[in-house]
Amino acid sequence: MTLTRTLGALLSVVLALPSPAIAQRPLNLDFETPSVAYADRPWGWALGWSAWAAGPGARFTLDSTRVLRGVRSLRLTAADTAPGTAPRALALQLPAAFARGRALRLTGWTRTSATEAHSLVTLEAWGDRVVAAADSADAGDAQRAGADGWSQVSLTIAVPADTSIHSIVISVAVQGTGTAWFDALELFRDGERLESLPAEAPPPTRAELAYLAGRSAPLLRAEIGAAGPGRDDDLASIARIVGDARIVGLGESTHGTREFFQLKHRIVEFLVRTQGFDVFAVEANQLAVERINAYVLGGPGTAREVMRAMFRVWNTEEMLALVDWMRAYNAAHPERPVHFIGYDLQDQRGPADTLLAFVTRADTALVSRVGALTQEYRSVTNAAAPQVAAETRARWKAQGDSLVRDIGARRAPWLADARTRADSVRVEWASHSAELFRQAATLNASLSSPDRDSLMAANLDWALRTLHPGSRAVVWAHDVHVSHGGDPVRSFNGGAQMGAHLKRSYGHTYRAFSLLTRTGAYSATRSFTDHAIFAAEAFPAPEGSVEALLAAVPRSPLSIGLVADLRVGERDAQGAWLWRPRPLRHVGYAAYDYAFELRAVMPLEFDGVILIERTTPSRPLP
């Protein structure tokens, strides 16, 4: 039991989710289906602590040469020779709603290649930093038992009827030196064998679908159409939801969907032409994106060159088309150009260099002080450096705090000396560069996603109040970032989303849209450590999900999707059912097999939602 609890504690650091999905999904306990990203790994299973432990790791492979049932087994090979080395594991984490108050039994088969290798299977129920129920089987002598060396294991747990139990975790591991195989796992709930998880949210009734259809309008295309009357008639419902908003958040459920990018381009053009929007803000490092802003305002270079300032996911043909359009529009409308800005903070080098260059020209007495406070952290390759000791990261944050205090004390005199608007803007950028450096250090110290959201909101607010007062802005980011619920229990990130901060600052003049797809493919990296971009298959919207609900709404056969108005009160007699939490696709930088780990109360988070039935991968620039 001690080994089992250690396994659960370590895995929880890597895999625990604050609010797991509640949706129908296959279990893949027989390892027959390969992962979307890696053909030699099983679908739905994730690395345990092997990516974090010291010393050699393990190889996880789908093996077709040594199989008990079907065509594949899972092979784990470890090269650990040090005594006491932690096991190497794969884990399957499932939402616990299907199991609370029920008895679970897991059976399966395992074998090993050497007496030094031990295979371990565990079944656990997790709460918040608590393993509420657990069972394990150590089958280290499997090669001497059963047919062809396979040995059967059986585990049983009683899951507490407690809503704080958020996950059921099945793990398979090898400890020691050698190879272990696993095959034909089966999960039983109160004696009933499960091959997939049941959907918790019921399908909508006819009356509910009719209600949602009455709040929806067909979307005819994603890409920009020919100029002329009626070209944007299908965007009229978006205009109604936008209303008099000063800031419009355009989300996306993946960072690599071509049709999302095309539609955002189309909406930006529409809002610029018809509603007077004149700022486009993207989820990219704030100072670096100024290169793109200079370009779209007529500056030197090429679009491809300046776009390298953004993250790789934005370096696509679709974003290139938007940048090219913006430059052409600004050339034709110099009296009210559209600015291209960023608001992210994952960069410490650019802000340090910018500030040092400014004080070298404007206040030489500060040069040595700025250099001393920024040199150590600036020398690190990446702004996020979790491999560095926590004490060192805390020191960099303290240096950032000192930098902001020192520069803040000089801001007023610098502004007093400014003779032109351009001089004042340079002062503001120098002062904000100190803040950006501190923000990067703060995020590096905490490694907290909510911290990033709050700081991105602060940066966007700074840009709109300081550089672009009176402007109307379109904000491009992930659904989770633009969502504005701010509910500590029901919202993403414990209610600390960027959109929630913006909603508190701008009230109903902030509006947010979610962009979703039922099925198709998207571009992503293979993992957070393997940055090769590829076309990943999107798991089709499961029963009970937001996407499945929207796809069930009747619409014109000529449409590619729909736009739905979610401005419905929680106590609305007809629309309260929309406030039921449902799984929502969530794919960021890296690909996911399932990707419905989040639950969303959609009217709480978004004013509108756009569904595109089938989508394709974005097209990365060479």
Side-chain angles (χ1 to χ4, degrees):
M1 187 61 70
T2 301
L3 182 58
T4 299
R5 291 188 181 277
T6 302
L7 175 64
L10 289 172
L11 277 173
S12 66
V13 174
V14 181
L15 299 174
L17 299 172
S19 182
I22 301 177
Q24 186 179 33
R25 57 156 290 172
L27 299 180
N28 197 29
L29 292 172
D30 54 6
F31 309 110
E32 293 297 298
T33 304
S35 168
V36 167
Y38 295 98
D40 61 345
R41 294 182 187 174
W43 186 97
W45 291 73
L47 294 173
W49 64 76
S50 61
W52 303 83
R59 296 192 302 276
F60 307 95
T61 309
L62 294 179
D63 191 347
S64 59
T65 64
R66 187 162 292 182
V67 178
L68 178 70
R69 186 187 305 168
V71 297
R72 296 183 180 93
S73 66
L74 174 64
R75 184 177 76 230
L76 276 66
T77 302
D80 297 338
T81 57
T85 302
R88 308 307 192 186
L90 281 182
L92 180 67
Q93 183 175 5
L94 306 171
F98 80 101
R100 295 185 193 118
R102 314 288 281 271
L104 294 183
R105 181 166 65 95
L106 178 72
T107 64
W109 295 81
T110 180
R111 61 175 295 162
T112 58
S113 64
T115 56
E116 294 84 2
H118 287 258
S119 60
L120 178 69
V121 182
T122 67
L123 174 64
E124 300 179 333
W126 287 358
D128 184 13
R129 300 181 181 273
V130 172
V131 178
D135 195 7
S136 65
D138 184 347
D141 60 349
Q143 73 281 1
R144 296 194 296 271
D148 299 324
W150 289 93
S151 178
Q152 189 174 29
V153 297
S154 180
L155 297 81
T156 303
I157 62 173
V159 182
D162 182 346
T163 56
S164 69
I165 305 301
H166 58 69
S167 296
I168 301 300
V169 179
I170 300 168
S171 61
V172 294
V174 59
Q175 185 171 35
T177 301
T179 301
W181 287 263
F182 303 86
D183 200 2
L185 272 62
E186 295 181 322
L187 182 65
F188 299 85
R189 181 184 63 176
D190 293 341
E192 175 191 6
R193 181 171 175 265
L194 301 177
E195 292 187 0
S196 62
L197 293 189
E200 180 177 289
T205 65
R206 287 188 178 182
E208 289 170 344
L209 284 178
Y211 172 81
L212 189 53
R215 303 187 65 85
S216 302
L219 180 68
L220 299 182
R221 67 181 189 279
E223 69 279 4
I224 298 293
R231 60 174 284 192
D232 290 326
D233 286 353
D234 60 334
L235 300 185
S237 58
I238 292 178
R240 285 194 296 272
I241 297 171
V242 168
D244 62 355
R246 183 181 178 193
I247 306 174
V248 174
L250 295 182
E252 58 195 21
S253 56
T254 92
H255 278 327
T257 298
R258 176 172 172 81
E259 288 76 12
F260 290 171
F261 290 9
Q262 290 176 320
L263 182 60
K264 287 187 179 186
H265 178 173
R266 187 178 171 216
I267 293 172
V268 168
E269 279 202 31
F270 173 71
L271 293 178
V272 168
R273 286 189 293 101
T274 67
Q275 308 294 319
F277 280 73
D278 57 354
V279 169
F280 172 77
V282 68
E283 185 185 340
N285 287 327
Q286 189 164 33
L287 194 57
V289 170
E290 283 302 297
R291 292 184 58 199
I292 306 176
N293 189 42
Y295 174 78
V296 301
L297 293 173
T302 68
R304 289 176 184 248
E305 289 172 350
V306 299
M307 284 173 59
R308 295 193 189 106
M310 293 189 292
F311 304 132
R312 288 180 65 196
V313 290
W314 310 139
N315 276 257
T316 66
E317 292 180 7
E318 300 82 20
M319 184 67 81
L320 177 64
L322 176 60
V323 171
D324 282 340
W325 170 82
M326 200 172 294
R327 181 177 170 101
Y329 178 88
N330 287 342
H333 302 83
E335 73 286 353
R336 190 173 175 83
V338 180
H339 292 266
F340 194 117
I341 69 172
Y343 49 85
D344 210 341
L345 54 130
Q346 299 180 68
D347 173 29
Q348 84 284 28
R349 291 183 164 189
D353 293 345
T354 297
L355 180 56
L356 192 58
F358 177 85
V359 296
T360 299
R361 295 190 307 269
D363 201 333
T364 55
L366 279 175
V367 171
S368 61
R369 175 66 172 165
V370 171
L373 291 173
T374 61
Q375 182 178 9
E376 186 181 7
Y377 184 34
R378 192 233 174 271
S379 67
V380 179
T381 302
N382 297 317
Q387 75 281 1
V388 175
E391 295 81 1
T392 301
R393 290 184 282 118
R395 182 173 68 251
W396 295 343
K397 179 185 180 300
Q399 290 171 341
D401 292 339
S402 296
L403 184 68
V404 169
R405 284 194 298 270
D406 290 354
I407 299 303
R410 296 296 301 149
R411 176 175 172 270
W414 288 340
L415 286 174
D417 291 339
R419 297 182 179 278
T420 65
R421 166 66 177 166
D423 290 340
S424 297
V425 168
R426 280 190 286 270
V427 170
E428 296 291 11
W429 268 116
S431 300
H432 193 60
S433 292
E435 173 63 19
L436 289 170
F437 182 89
R438 176 171 70 171
Q439 288 179 2
T442 298
L443 185 61
N444 186 40
S446 70
L447 301 176
S448 166
S449 179
D451 281 352
R452 178 175 172 235
D453 271 63
S454 65
L455 295 171
M456 288 196 300
N459 289 337
L460 184 57
D461 183 64
W462 173 84
L464 294 180
R465 296 184 188 278
T466 305
L467 303 179
H468 308 288
S471 291
R472 302 181 77 184
V474 178
V475 179
W476 178 319
H478 198 282
D479 274 349
V480 168
H481 295 313
V482 303
S483 63
H484 57 49
D487 187 304
V489 175
R490 297 184 293 177
S491 290
F492 313 128
N493 273 346
Q497 319 102 291
M498 178 181 74
H501 291 282
L502 294 174
K503 190 66 172 283
R504 282 191 286 272
S505 296
Y506 292 89
H508 290 291
T509 65
Y510 175 69
R511 308 282 164 78
F513 291 82
S514 167
L515 270 69
L516 305 175
T517 180
R518 188 188 67 81
T519 189
Y522 58 91
S523 296
T525 63
R526 294 195 180 276
S527 71
F528 289 105
T529 56
D530 180 349
H531 302 295
I533 293 181
F534 77 112
E537 181 182 356
F539 188 81
E543 180 184 351
S545 65
V546 174
E547 290 87 343
L549 167 65
L550 295 170
V553 175
R555 65 174 194 271
S556 165
L558 300 178
S559 67
I560 65 166
L562 57 81
V563 180
D565 188 338
L566 297 179
R567 293 174 296 170
V568 178
E570 190 167 5
R571 293 182 174 83
D572 183 277
Q574 290 183 294
W577 64 276
L578 284 170
W579 285 73
R580 180 181 299 131
R582 293 179 182 271
L584 182 76
R585 192 187 308 276
H586 174 268
V587 177
Y589 189 67
Y592 285 85
D593 287 334
Y594 186 58
F596 285 87
E597 281 74 27
L598 290 182
R599 298 169 67 207
V601 179
M602 292 299 284
L604 173 68
E605 307 294 357
F606 304 101
D607 301 286
V609 61
I610 302 170
L611 175 78
I612 301 177
E613 176 73 18
R614 178 178 294 273
T615 53
T616 58
S618 61
R619 299 179 182 179
L621 294 173

